[in-house]
Amino acid sequence: MDQRVARAAHPGRTASGLASDPVTSTLVIPLVARALGDSVFPGFAVGDALAAPALEQLDVDVGPFLRDKASLFGVLSRTRLFRQLAFEFFDRFEQATGANLGCGLASYFQWLDRGTNHWLDADVPQVMQLRRRLLPPPGKHHREVAVDLSTEGWWQRLGLPARQSNKPVVVICEGVLMYLEAREVDHVLKEFGQNAPAGSEFLCDTLSWMATGCAALHPSVCHTHAQFKWGPRRMRDFTAPHPRLVLLSEHPIMEAYDFSTALAFASFRALWGVPLYGAVRLGVRG
Ligand SMILES: C[S@@+](CC[C@H](N)C(=O)[O-])C[C@H]1O[C@@H](n2cnc3c(N)ncnc32)[C@H](O)[C@@H]1O
C-alpha cells in the first residue's frame, strides 16, 4: 500500500506522516464517499462497483470521513452531475474521448463506456501506481497515464486530440483545482483553451476563494493536512486564462442537501458572485 495514502487513510495516526504528500492523500475522501455513501444517501447513490473493493484493500479507518455527512453528500452529488454531463456529451459525440484529470481512484468509465468512445485516467505517478494495484486493469478504449498538471504541455503528453481535429474531448477535473496555486490553475485552463478541439468541455468543481487557507476547518480535508490554495473571486476567472474559453453552465452541488444549506449557498452566490462550492462547465470557441 502507498504509504502516503495509508497515512491519510488513518486520520488518527497521521500527525507526522502526512506532510510528505497531503494533496495525493485527499483521494481517500471521495473514495470513501463512493464506496460507502450510497447507504447513507440512497436517493443520491452512485452505484460505484469498484470503490468498495479498492477501499477494502487500503484498510482505511473510515470513521472520520463517514461522520462528515456533507462531504459524503457533496461527492455523490458531484459524481452524479459529472457522470450525467459526460453521458450527454457522449450522446452528441459517440466516438469522443473523456479524460479524468487528477482522477485519484475514481472510475467513471465503468458507467460511460459505450463501446465507441475512449477514456483516459490521469494523475501523478504515485496515484497511477496505486490504481494499478487497487483497480482492475484498463480495458479496450481505456488508457491510464501519469501526469503532473502543474507542468506545461500536459495536453500533448497525455496524447489528447489536437485542436484542429474533429474529435472533441470531455475533461472531468474534480477535487483538484482548489489544491493548486492560482498560476497553476490558470495554466491548466489556458492549456485546455489552447488545445481542445471545438466542442470540447471542461467540467470541474469550484470552491470559493474565501476557503483558501482554511482547510484545517474542513471536517475531512483537515485529516490530510492538504491546503486550499485557489478559488475564483469572480466567474470570469474561469474564462480569463484563454480567449477561446466560455462558461457554458454553472451547477449546484450542495443545494439538495437540506433547506438551510440550500438557503446559505444561494445567499452566498447572490452576495459574492461565485459559488461557495459548486460546479462549472466550460467550453471552447470554434
Ligand atoms: C481530492 S483528490 C480527487 C480525486 C478524484 N478526482 C476524485 O474525485 O475521486 C485530488 C487528486 O488530485 C490529484 N492532483 C493534485 N495535484 C495534481 C497535479 N499537479 N497533477 C495531477 N494530479 C494532481 C491528487 O493526486 C489527487 O488524486
Side-chain angles (χ1 to χ4, degrees):
M1 176 179 170
D2 184 302
Q3 288 307 302
R4 279 168 289 207
V5 176
R7 290 180 198 118
H10 295 87
R13 301 186 242 146
T14 57
S16 59
L18 272 174
S20 61
D21 198 352
V23 175
T24 297
S25 64
T26 59
L27 63 79
V28 173
I29 301 166
L31 180 68
V32 169
R34 292 187 188 114
L36 304 173
D38 283 9
S39 56
V40 183
F41 296 103
F44 284 78
V46 295
D48 189 328
L50 304 178
L55 182 63
E56 274 163 31
Q57 294 177 71
L58 278 176
D59 188 26
V60 167
D61 170 11
V62 296
F65 302 119
L66 274 181
R67 280 192 287 278
D68 178 8
K69 296 279 186 292
S71 292
L72 285 185
F73 179 86
V75 171
L76 297 181
S77 174
R78 85 181 189 211
T79 301
R80 290 164 62 94
L81 171 69
F82 291 143
R83 179 173 66 181
Q84 180 61 29
L85 292 172
F87 188 84
E88 288 165 14
F89 177 88
F90 288 126
D91 270 348
R92 294 194 297 282
F93 305 105
E94 285 194 339
Q95 301 186 349
T97 296
N100 190 353
L101 306 182
C103 59
L105 293 169
S107 305
Y108 276 89
F109 208 40
Q110 68 183 301
W111 301 304
L112 296 171
D113 184 0
R114 48 177 75 190
T116 53
N117 55 343
H118 297 258
W119 194 262
L120 169 72
D121 281 311
D123 205 303
V124 295
Q126 61 267 36
V127 172
M128 299 318 287
Q129 224 176 340
L130 194 64
R131 285 183 73 90
R132 280 195 285 281
R133 288 220 299 281
L134 303 182
L135 294 171
K140 208 177 156 205
H141 293 184
H142 182 192
R143 291 187 298 135
E144 297 195 326
V145 182
V147 74
D148 180 354
L149 294 171
S150 61
T151 60
E152 284 182 46
W154 54 263
W155 189 273
Q156 279 84 9
R157 284 200 301 282
L158 289 176
L160 291 168
R163 175 169 166 174
Q164 319 73 278
S165 81
N166 59 355
K167 295 176 182 158
V169 178
V170 60
V171 170
I172 294 175
C173 190
E174 55 175 341
V176 179
L177 297 184
M178 57 285 285
Y179 298 109
L180 302 183
E181 301 285 352
R183 65 182 156 72
E184 295 173 328
V185 174
D186 273 7
H187 280 136
V188 169
L189 296 175
K190 183 176 170 193
E191 192 140 340
F192 174 76
Q194 246 166 9
N195 294 285
S200 297
E201 294 184 8
F202 188 99
L203 317 175
C204 65
D205 54 347
T206 167
L207 184 64
S208 155
W209 62 276
M210 264 185 238
T212 55
C214 297
L217 301 175
H218 190 287
S220 287
V221 180
C222 68
H223 297 298
T224 69
H225 300 184
Q227 188 50 273
F228 300 134
K229 295 181 183 158
W230 177 82
R233 285 180 175 266
R234 45 199 186 130
M235 293 310 283
R236 219 184 103 59
D237 291 349
F238 287 102
T239 52
H242 196 274
R244 285 182 78 221
L245 291 170
V246 284
L247 180 61
L248 297 176
S249 51
E250 188 185 326
H251 303 263
I253 291 179
M254 295 304 298
E255 272 74 344
Y257 184 56
D258 61 24
F259 179 71
S260 55
T261 304
L263 195 62
F265 276 61
S267 308
F268 186 99
R269 177 67 180 85
L271 195 61
W272 294 102
V274 287
L276 174 55
Y277 181 64
V280 298
R281 177 170 152 259
L282 304 176
V284 282
R285 292 192 177 85

